[in-house]
Amino acid sequence: MKKILLLSDTHSFIDDQILKFVKQVDEVWHAGDIGDLQVTDRIKSLKPLRAVYGNIDDKNARAEFPLDNKFIVDDVLVWITHIGGYPNKYNQRVREELKNNTPQLFICGHSHILKVQYDKKLNLLHLNPGAAGKHGFHKVRTMLRFEIDNGNVKNMEIIELANRS
């Protein structure tokens, strides 16, 4: 079993509130728009990190992290990308690949809107953790925490950090 913290859209912001949750899990996944790499450096100093770059990320983030991160954790095929869309409205870049090589867990960031949605057509769980940073239109900073155990995603929790100020 692995405990996962999923965040996105930090836009160069990390604080003790985020780091408190980082310390409670086995791995941290970042779905892009990291901003300053000090964010991921701080996370990596505490826990293993899997991440992708987002549309605001510079050449340094793009050199360190991929556009798409596909991997298997405890028998669950995972695909993380920054701009992926939602069930029935997937981004054109990922649409065919999702149909042909469907992961069990498809994770995106970008919208700053927290969403946990099951796609019945493709038989996958779609996650967007919202935005953990302070930049954007979202009102509340959010992340997701969950467990992966024997091929199952379970104990999904929404973490509301604070109002964006």
Side-chain angles (χ1 to χ4, degrees), residues 57-102:
D57 290 317
D58 65 13
K59 65 180 181 180
N60 297 321
R62 291 168 191 245
E64 184 168 346
F65 301 108
L67 174 63
D68 296 300
N69 197 342
K70 298 176 186 180
F71 53 92
I72 296 173
V73 171
D74 209 358
D75 297 324
V76 173
L77 179 59
V78 180
W79 180 1
I80 304 175
T81 194
H82 184 62
I83 301 175
Y86 296 103
N88 298 316
K89 294 182 182 174
Y90 291 115
N91 184 280
Q92 185 175 354
R93 184 185 72 80
V94 302
R95 198 174 299 143
E96 283 304 308
E97 175 93 16
L98 277 174
K99 289 178 188 173
N100 296 328
N101 298 301
T102 307

Side-chain angles (χ1 to χ4, degrees), residues 114 116 129 142-145 155-161:
L114 187 141
V116 176
T142 58
M143 303 185 298
L144 290 170
R145 181 170 53 187
N155 298 324
M156 182 76 58
E157 298 174 82
I158 294 169
I159 297 169
E160 291 187 352
L161 294 165

Side-chain angles (χ1 to χ4, degrees), residues 7-99:
L7 70 158
S8 187
D9 295 276
T10 48
H11 292 263
S12 302
F13 179 80
I14 192 159
D15 63 0
D16 288 339
Q17 197 174 17
I18 293 171
L19 294 173
K20 174 183 84 169
F21 288 100
V22 167
K23 293 173 187 173
Q24 297 172 4
V25 298
D26 299 311
E27 288 186 14
V28 177
W29 300 351
H30 195 303
D33 278 4
I34 298 160
D36 192 313
L37 287 181
Q38 288 180 357
V39 169
T40 49
D41 289 345
R42 291 211 42 210
I43 293 169
K44 286 190 300 187
S45 74
L46 298 169
K47 295 293 176 163
L49 172 70
R50 299 177 195 255
V52 296
Y53 70 79
N55 56 294
I56 66 117
D57 290 317
D58 65 13
K59 65 180 181 180
N60 297 321
R62 291 168 191 245
E64 184 168 346
F65 301 108
L67 174 63
D68 296 300
N69 197 342
K70 298 176 186 180
F71 53 92
I72 296 173
V73 171
D74 209 358
D75 297 324
V76 173
L77 179 59
V78 180
W79 180 1
I80 304 175
T81 194
H82 184 62
I83 301 175
Y86 296 103
N88 298 316
K89 294 182 182 174
Y90 291 115
N91 184 280
Q92 185 175 354
R93 184 185 72 80
V94 302
R95 198 174 299 143
E96 283 304 308
E97 175 93 16
L98 277 174
K99 289 178 188 173

Side-chain angles (χ1 to χ4, degrees), residues 143-157:
M143 303 185 298
L144 290 170
R145 181 170 53 187
F146 55 93
E147 296 171 358
I148 297 181
D149 187 19
N150 268 343
N152 296 303
V153 177
K154 60 186 194 179
N155 298 324
M156 182 76 58
E157 298 174 82

